[in-house]
Amino acid sequence: MTRLTLYTRPDCCLCDEALEVIERVRIEIPFELRKLDISSDPVLVERYGELLPVLLIDSEKAFELHVDERGLRDKLAKGRSR
């Protein structure tokens, strides 16, 4: 099953919006979702800082700052057809 990882932090409105998009798509296309709060990990804070949210699909960066719903559906559909 496809695994999505969402890097986020508390009180991030863009992160909240991204999660809403992800959950809407998840209704139609099943996948595993892991949310990671970067605020307690200095390495992740250094790596992602103000670029959140960041969404990985199977460990590859797919979106940064904004998750496009149509784009996410397209990426997941391509992954399922392999």
Side-chain angles (χ1 to χ4, degrees):
M1 179 173 280
T2 303
R3 173 184 246 168
L4 276 62
T5 304
L6 180 64
Y7 290 100
T8 185
R9 68 171 173 262
D11 302 319
C12 170
C13 61
L14 292 177
C15 299
D16 295 341
E17 290 173 14
L19 186 58
E20 288 175 14
V21 169
I22 291 165
E23 292 296 352
R24 277 197 305 268
V25 172
R26 194 177 193 187
I27 292 168
E28 300 169 28
I29 304 171
F31 52 81
E32 292 179 36
L33 176 62
R34 194 170 101 189
K35 285 180 18 180
L36 292 175
D37 177 356
I38 70 162
S39 60
S40 61
D41 186 330
V43 173
L44 292 177
V45 170
E46 178 69 28
R47 182 180 302 157
Y48 297 114
E50 299 297 315
L51 300 175
L52 297 178
V54 173
L55 181 65
L56 307 182
I57 299 176
D58 291 331
S59 301
E60 292 186 31
K61 188 187 289 187
F63 297 95
E64 183 178 273
L65 297 174
H66 172 76
V67 177
D68 176 70
E69 191 166 341
R70 174 181 249 160
L72 178 57
R73 280 192 176 92
D74 290 347
K75 289 177 186 292
L76 292 171
K78 286 179 187 173
R80 289 174 30 179
S81 65
R82 290 185 208 160

